[in-house]
Amino acid sequence: MKGKKLIDPSDLTTTEIEDLIKLANQIIQNEEKYSKCCENKLLATLFYEPSTRTRFSFEAAMLRLGGKVIGFSEPNSSSVAKGESISDTIQTVCCYADIIAMRHPKEGSAYVAANASTVSFINAGDGGHFHPTQTLTDLLTISNLKGRLDNLVIGLCGDLKFGRTVHSLIKAMSRYQNITFIFISPEELQVPDYIKKEVLEKNKLKYDESTNLEEVISKLDILYMTRVQKERFFNESDYIRLKDMFILDLEKLKNAKKDLTILHPLPRVNEISTEIDDDPRAAYFKQAKFGMYIRMALILKFLGIEVD
Ligand code: NCD
């Protein structure tokens, strides 16, 4: 995978994903062994949009591998504020760094950046489009907590229109056997048509749509909650009307399976009541931790570093 570029989850084959999950688990079991293997390597994190987990987990991953990190979390502190194009910024950063992770509010920006990059490039989220490293995080979490990536009924709830983590996860899971999706959202925030046509219908995937979480919760093996993506709305009043339509609380969990796994890419706003946090089915903070390990594995593979 040396020198590879990751824009969309399908840029990785299922075998490559399996290898990344395996390596992440080896790192979890023996972190010390990997703590110096990126000693002379530099990661650049270019964040044109806010982030806590993605940026920190990338940076923590590189630092825990013994590497170094440069970058910005606020584009106005770089030449972006002077009007520099993405392509010029990337070509410049390639002079200094060995691998780049970039988040940008515009869909498609990751393609432009990846084309300009002469080093490994990772899309850390491009607008409402894709977020492949969150998906790798989700896959490691599901694989470790469920013991499988097939034969699952997955409920995705919340903002399925603008949520890039949702689009990426659907795309990635569509390659495994016997996956059923249940999409739970207000009508205005349903999964976009291009995902339905190009991913779900093309691969003959089973899916249902619902506007009522309680009605479907008993069927689910995984419930993936998401925040309504305020920053992608054109109109504040629509956001206010839709933002609290789905709030998961203990009452709603009553009919859920005992071994349901509740995931959320975070940040949470209101959509999961904090009373759920102590329920053994709540796995979103474990998921955030897995995010660092899968990024450690990804950095090693993309830099072509083998540890035996
Ligand atoms: C997500 C994102 O940025 O798309 N956060 C994350 O990376 N863990 C989800 C969100 O912001 O709602």
Side-chain angles (χ1 to χ4, degrees):
M1 290 188 224
K2 185 163 190 240
K4 224 178 141 96
K5 306 197 175 153
L6 175 61
I7 301 167
D8 172 310
S10 53
D11 290 332
L12 295 170
T13 63
T14 49
T15 312
E16 285 172 328
I17 289 177
E18 217 175 282
D19 287 348
L20 284 166
I21 291 178
K22 201 167 141 201
L23 179 57
N25 281 324
Q26 283 164 353
I27 298 170
I28 291 170
Q29 272 148 33
N30 189 357
E31 225 184 294
E32 181 58 32
K33 182 173 157 194
Y34 297 85
S35 64
K36 291 192 171 66
C37 47
C38 281
E39 256 177 348
N40 298 311
K41 300 293 182 191
L42 203 69
L43 162 75
T45 55
L46 313 181
F47 277 66
Y48 295 76
E49 250 194 356
S51 169
T52 301
R53 272 143 298 268
T54 306
R55 187 170 64 85
F56 287 160
S57 65
F58 261 117
E59 296 187 355
M62 191 49 154
L63 295 169
R64 283 173 184 269
L65 291 167
K68 294 193 171 60
V69 179
I70 54 170
F72 56 77
S73 56
E74 168 45 70
N76 286 333
S77 67
S78 75
S79 281
V80 173
K82 301 180 190 169
E84 187 170 58
S85 68
I86 294 179
S87 166
D88 283 2
T89 301
I90 293 287
Q91 287 183 73
T92 308
V93 173
C94 286
C95 302
Y96 315 130
D98 303 292
I99 181 164
I100 298 174
M102 183 189 90
R103 166 172 290 186
H104 196 283
K106 282 215 176 74
E107 291 80 8
S109 52
Y111 287 93
V112 175
N115 277 336
S117 182
T118 52
V119 301
S120 280
F121 174 86
I122 301 167
N123 175 14
D126 61 328
H129 207 196
F130 292 119
H131 190 349
T133 61
Q134 180 62 46
T135 299
L136 291 174
T137 301
D138 302 340
L139 296 181
L140 173 64
T141 310
I142 296 170
S143 164
N144 282 13
L145 300 185
K146 286 284 184 232
R148 63 187 193 277
L149 288 172
D150 50 12
N151 298 306
L152 292 164
V153 180
I154 306 175
L156 292 136
C157 178
D159 186 346
L160 311 186
K161 178 179 180 184
F162 295 117
R164 56 191 171 202
T165 61
V166 168
H167 306 157
S168 288
L169 187 60
I170 295 172
K171 204 160 182 189
M173 291 307 301
S174 69
R175 300 191 292 186
Y176 297 95
Q177 294 299 307
N178 196 24
I179 297 296
T180 302
F181 290 110
I182 303 187
F183 301 133
I184 309 135
S185 73
E187 292 199 353
E188 294 92 326
L189 298 179
Q190 284 180 353
V191 172
D193 281 345
Y194 80 93
I195 302 272
K196 286 186 184 159
K197 288 203 181 79
E198 289 165 29
V199 182
L200 296 162
E201 284 154 28
K202 202 167 154 192
N203 295 307
K204 299 193 173 56
L205 264 133
K206 293 175 270 180
Y207 72 91
D208 261 331
E209 291 184 294
S210 170
T211 51
N212 188 330
L213 176 58
E214 280 123 305
E215 252 172 48
V216 297
I217 202 163
S218 63
K219 300 181 189 165
L220 308 178
D221 299 308
I222 291 168
L223 172 57
Y224 196 94
M225 295 296 294
T226 62
R227 153 186 90 87
V228 176
Q229 306 279 297
K230 183 178 184 192
E231 64 277 35
R232 319 236 182 266
F233 274 69
F234 296 112
N235 178 330
E236 171 105 23
S237 62
D238 282 346
Y239 169 70
I240 291 168
R241 183 169 54 82
L242 297 168
K243 74 182 173 73
D244 291 328
M245 292 246 327
F246 297 100
I247 299 179
L248 183 66
D249 54 20
L250 285 174
E251 181 61 31
K252 291 205 184 78
L253 265 189
K254 266 194 181 145
N255 294 325
K257 288 186 182 169
K258 293 275 165 291
D259 66 345
L260 172 73
T261 300
I262 305 167
L263 302 179
H264 190 313
L266 303 176
R268 128 176 88 183
V269 184
N270 273 334
E271 55 284 347
I272 302 182
S273 160
T274 51
E275 67 186 16
I276 304 276
D277 294 1
D278 294 329
D279 189 288
R281 290 168 286 190
Y284 26 92
F285 288 110
K286 277 188 201 154
Q287 183 185 1
K289 187 153 189 182
F290 282 133
M292 179 181 75
Y293 291 112
I294 200 76
R295 288 181 174 97
M296 289 171 86
L298 189 64
I299 291 170
L300 286 177
K301 291 276 189 196
F302 274 24
L303 290 176
I305 296 172
E306 305 260 348
V307 184
D308 41 37

